[in-house]
Amino acid sequence: MSWAYPQYKPTTSWVLDSERFNENLSEYAQETDGKLNEQNFDRVTLDEMVNVNQAGVSADLALKFWRVGTKLIDPTGTIPKTPFTSDWSPIASSTQLFYAPAGKIFVAISFQYANAGAFSGVSAPGSVFAIELDGAVQMSSIVGAADISNEYTFVETDASADILYDSTPSFRAVFEPKCVTGVFQISQGLHQVRGVYRSLPSYAIAASIHGFGTVETNIVWGWA
Amino acid sequence: MSWSPNYVEDGDHLTAVRIDGLFTDAQTWLTGGVTALGLQRGTFNYHHATSVLTPNGEGYTVVNTEDSNIMDYTWATFGASIQWATFGQNGGSGDSGDLGSGDRAIVGHESTGYSGDKAQIDFPAGGFHVGVDNGDMVAAILLLFNGEISQAAPGWGAFSATHPEAAIVFSIQYQADGSGTWHTIKRSERFASVYDHASVSDETADAEEIDYDVPIISMLTEAQINADLGDASAHKISSIRAMVTSYDFQGVQEMAFVIRNFRLTALPLLMKDED
């Protein structure tokens, strides 16, 4: 036990003092009430309580999620085009408003991106993508040209240019799937999450060069 | 205070039964009656909360099991180029396991260079009812997929410089009750385009290194199952799998591609459904 043992220890033939006896009881109350901590609970036991009997999870301890999803395009479809933008601009159909208690949220926005400029034969810039939470772009979530693992690959669309493809993959980045994810701390209240994009600088800027389709935003709130 | 002892008063008969009763009160509170007020703030941390996320304390993941080998999706494997029409349902008919056909195949499909695990997760004990009120308190299943397109070779026909020649298309499907129809989660369909430039360079058409990672994150919800099966409470979601195919934008050309790595994860989530 994590609390001190009772101080008053009557022995044989003592007259029991009720005050002392009550003090012993009080020690139990004072040492435990409001002060039980992780040392009083076995982690394995708690895991088993939840795992073996899922009813052991109360609703207010459990998590919540919100999601918005759209099915806009497939390979045969037409991707709606959006303009070149130097500022962060919203990804269509990715916005989710939600009311949550204070805690942490995991946000994942998965979407289909198209560089419509390249598709139409116009040299076009790539994009970077991010999560916007309550109007603030979350820099830790940025994915795009700066992300080596999924970098945008610019490919000249003029076939007569005889590009040396030995150093340039054939992946044209006309259509590419993307994900932006992040974990954020929020306060209690109404919040808004959405995906945003920003065009990379380009020497030739088409009016409408980017496209987004099949966007799915998932938000999982966890107590913290 | 959330609990206080029954104190002994002057004049009380302090019998053995009475004393036992006092300690029993304390024991009862400690063993089954500790309320939130009894806990020190910050008592529980992620060690205690890990299993709150999922019924088994963890998710389910399948990955390619032969790192050095690759999965060929060629006409040599399937008898013809797989060509996307629509993912629709099931896996079509064709080779062993009914997982590859003329229009799509499972990621991790057995081929000359690969005989490892397929991108399919079969949940234990028949799976889960999805929907917090449907028995398993699983409100949704979070799905995460990554597939690395290693190589692609579109275009044996006419070359067009101003059109994307082909795309490699992915999708996540689920199956209920351990058998029967595979349902496509349409929101999970993603595709990456590849380009035939064999006619403008010295590259051969079948050796274009791409090494591009296709990421998909999706959520299988009660609403989706209701739409597909009519009543989510009557069905257990038993399996998840990732499918792949190709699509030629000009509709006439052969297509081959190679997948090197994949990872499919399913996280049945214990939580309140706010969908």
Side-chain angles (χ1 to χ4, degrees):
Chain A
M1 301 175 78
S2 62
W3 58 77
Y5 53 81
Q7 299 298 311
Y8 177 64
K9 288 190 169 182
T11 59
T12 305
S13 79
W14 280 30
V15 177
L16 186 61
D17 184 329
S18 62
E19 289 299 320
R20 291 292 184 88
F21 188 83
N22 286 339
E23 287 173 8
N24 277 355
L25 288 179
S26 295
E27 285 176 3
Y28 279 91
Q30 293 169 7
E31 291 290 336
T32 59
D33 190 42
K35 296 177 182 176
L36 293 175
N37 57 32
E38 68 277 7
Q39 298 177 37
N40 300 102
F41 298 93
D42 178 71
R43 184 172 67 87
V44 175
T45 300
L46 284 176
D47 280 350
E48 289 176 348
M49 286 165 58
V50 176
N51 291 337
V52 175
N53 179 13
Q54 294 167 10
V57 181
S58 68
D60 59 349
L61 181 66
L63 310 182
K64 301 181 179 182
F65 76 93
W66 300 266
R67 60 170 298 282
V68 54
T70 56
K71 168 60 181 173
L72 292 179
I73 57 167
D74 57 35
T76 63
T78 300
I79 295 181
K81 295 179 181 178
T82 56
F84 177 94
T85 173
S86 298
D87 299 322
W88 290 106
S89 299
I91 296 173
S93 305
S94 68
T95 303
Q96 177 68 60
L97 276 171
F98 61 101
Y99 182 87
K104 286 184 178 177
I105 54 171
F106 166 71
V107 178
I109 304 175
S110 178
F111 56 93
Q112 180 76 47
Y113 170 69
N115 190 320
F119 179 75
S120 60
V122 177
S123 297
S127 297
V128 290
F129 316 96
I131 294 169
E132 183 190 84
L133 172 61
D134 297 332
V137 175
Q138 304 299 308
M139 294 302 168
S140 61
S141 69
I142 291 178
V143 166
D147 182 353
I148 295 174
S149 65
N150 272 328
E151 70 176 349
Y152 172 77
T153 306
F154 180 85
V155 176
E156 176 57 65
T157 57
D158 183 0
S160 63
D162 195 19
I163 296 171
L164 294 177
Y165 283 100
D166 289 344
S167 60
T168 305
S170 60
F171 173 63
R172 288 191 60 183
V174 175
F175 300 109
E176 53 180 318
K178 290 291 186 184
C179 278
V180 286
T181 63
V183 175
F184 311 106
Q185 184 83 35
I186 59 171
S187 59
Q188 180 178 3
L190 184 65
H191 299 278
Q192 175 181 279
V193 160
R194 66 181 180 181
V196 291
Y197 76 100
R198 183 168 64 180
S199 308
L200 296 172
S202 172
Y203 60 85
I205 301 174
S208 295
I209 50 173
H210 305 301
F212 296 92
T214 320
V215 179
E216 182 167 358
T217 299
N218 286 298
I219 304 165
V220 179
W221 173 89
W223 65 285
Chain B
M1 298 177 68
S2 60
W3 173 75
S4 62
N6 295 319
Y7 291 115
V8 177
E9 303 294 342
D10 284 341
D12 281 358
H13 292 286
L14 204 55
T15 62
V17 173
R18 171 80 166 122
I19 294 174
D20 285 347
L22 293 172
F23 284 107
T24 300
D25 288 345
Q27 182 188 27
T28 301
W29 179 74
L30 281 173
T31 53
V34 177
T35 65
L37 289 174
L39 300 178
Q40 182 175 308
R41 184 172 176 79
T43 289
F44 295 116
N45 53 44
Y46 63 93
H47 287 302
H48 304 98
T50 51
S51 59
V52 175
L53 264 176
T54 58
N56 69 336
E58 60 185 14
Y60 305 89
T61 294
V62 60
V63 300
N64 61 310
T65 50
E66 297 180 358
D67 288 341
S68 61
N69 293 328
I70 55 177
M71 293 146 254
D72 291 310
Y73 292 82
T74 66
W75 44 94
T77 301
F78 296 105
S81 172
I82 53 176
Q83 172 82 358
W84 180 88
T86 175
F87 272 101
Q89 296 179 338
N90 299 323
S93 59
D95 59 358
S96 62
D98 199 26
L99 297 173
S101 73
D103 59 359
R104 80 212 88 167
I106 193 169
V107 175
H109 193 281
E110 184 172 334
S111 60
T112 303
Y114 183 83
S115 58
D117 287 350
K118 297 178 174 61
Q120 178 170 327
I121 295 169
D122 297 315
F123 295 126
F128 306 95
H129 292 97
V130 173
V132 287
D133 298 325
N134 292 337
D136 290 329
M137 290 191 70
V138 173
I141 301 177
L142 185 63
L143 304 168
L144 304 97
F145 172 78
N146 288 85
E148 179 197 3
I149 305 170
S150 178
Q151 299 176 357
W156 259 250
F159 170 74
S160 172
T162 57
H163 289 82
E165 293 273 337
I168 300 171
V169 193
F170 292 86
S171 171
I172 299 175
Q173 295 185 325
Y174 71 93
Q175 186 185 54
D177 307 318
S179 63
T181 302
W182 286 89
H183 299 274
T184 296
I185 303 172
K186 294 186 181 301
R187 295 183 313 277
S188 71
E189 289 184 16
R190 300 285 187 280
F191 51 96
S193 55
V194 294
Y195 187 58
D196 173 24
H197 46 65
S199 62
V200 295
S201 77
D202 57 357
E203 291 285 320
T204 57
D206 59 353
E208 307 293 353
E209 292 291 340
I210 296 178
D211 296 333
Y212 182 76
D213 174 50
V214 172
I216 303 172
I217 298 178
S218 190
M219 190 88 85
L220 176 55
T221 63
E222 180 182 10
Q224 163 103 48
I225 298 166
N226 280 332
D228 291 339
L229 299 171
D231 182 6
S233 66
H235 301 280
K236 278 189 170 184
I237 304 307
S238 53
S239 298
I240 301 290
R241 72 181 184 184
M243 302 292 281
V244 65
T245 186
S246 62
Y247 177 73
D248 189 310
F249 288 90
Q250 297 176 336
V252 293
Q253 299 174 2
E254 293 282 0
M255 174 76 190
F257 58 95
V258 172
I259 295 175
R260 183 180 301 277
N261 293 308
F262 70 84
R263 175 184 294 271
L264 176 64
T265 296
L267 295 168
L269 299 177
L270 280 170
M271 54 185 173
K272 299 175 72 175
D273 185 354
E274 300 284 342
D275 192 11

